[in-house]
Amino acid sequence: MEHRNDPNTARYGLTTAEHPHLYVKPVRIQTARAFAAWIQHSPAALADAEIVLGVETGPGTLTGVVFAGSPVSWRHDDGHTAEITCLATGSTPDADAALLDAVWQVARGRGYQRLIADTRLIRPGGEGSALHTAGFRPLPVQRGSGAVWEIRTAGGGR
């Protein structure tokens, strides 16, 4: 059985002309929770995330983390949908885009056809543009919920 923090699960890189290399890789959940709490100044992210990735600018220089797993809301928990429950990045440009791209690749590799993100659970102010850039689209707002964004595969089976 594959372990969620197995270093061979995913290794993705993003290189741009203006920014240093960004390397996305699995990180220990304890490290990611501590980083998220430090960046967001709020309670630590969920401890039961299925996918936990971090982005680094160099060896040991963590600049962002993302947690994804089963959807929090029963409405979206259909067995084909994963949800981003926390996205925390520092000031490194494109770190959020690199994490969103990598978590979608890992989720598709695990058989998920849809990935959603509730902007209330991520971080207010600015993450919507990163979601849009990564290919997510907003869903119609349901009463009593925040803005939910999704990205999905065309066709495909689990």
Side-chain angles (χ1 to χ4, degrees):
M1 183 171 129
E2 182 180 82
H3 190 267
R4 72 170 169 239
N5 290 330
D6 180 14
N8 297 320
T9 301
R11 287 223 162 114
Y12 306 100
L14 172 72
T15 305
T16 63
E18 309 88 47
H19 306 294
H21 296 292
L22 298 175
Y23 301 100
V24 179
K25 66 178 193 174
V27 295
R28 293 182 54 224
I29 197 161
Q30 296 87 348
T31 303
R33 289 183 77 214
F35 182 87
W38 178 65
I39 288 290
Q40 295 183 340
H41 306 291
S42 61
L46 299 173
D48 62 349
E50 184 180 338
I51 303 167
V52 182
L53 301 174
V55 64
E56 297 180 344
T57 55
T61 310
L62 189 64
T63 61
V65 294
V66 65
F67 295 78
S70 297
V72 174
S73 171
W74 61 268
R75 281 185 215 133
H76 301 294
D77 196 4
D78 58 6
H80 301 288
T81 302
E83 180 174 6
I84 296 172
T85 54
C86 179
L87 174 64
T89 59
S91 60
T92 304
D94 295 332
D96 49 0
L99 285 168
L100 289 168
D101 181 52
V103 74
W104 177 226
Q105 289 181 39
V106 172
R108 277 190 320 210
R110 293 188 179 187
Y112 289 106
Q113 298 174 12
R114 183 175 176 229
L115 180 63
I116 62 172
D118 185 332
T119 54
R120 290 180 307 162
L121 298 174
I122 295 176
R123 181 171 46 165
E127 296 299 346
S129 61
L131 292 167
H132 181 71
T133 303
F136 285 73
R137 65 180 179 82
L139 293 175
V141 177
Q142 295 185 6
R143 190 172 165 212
S145 69
V148 176
W149 295 66
E150 76 167 349
I151 190 168
R152 63 172 58 223
T153 58
R158 181 167 181 187

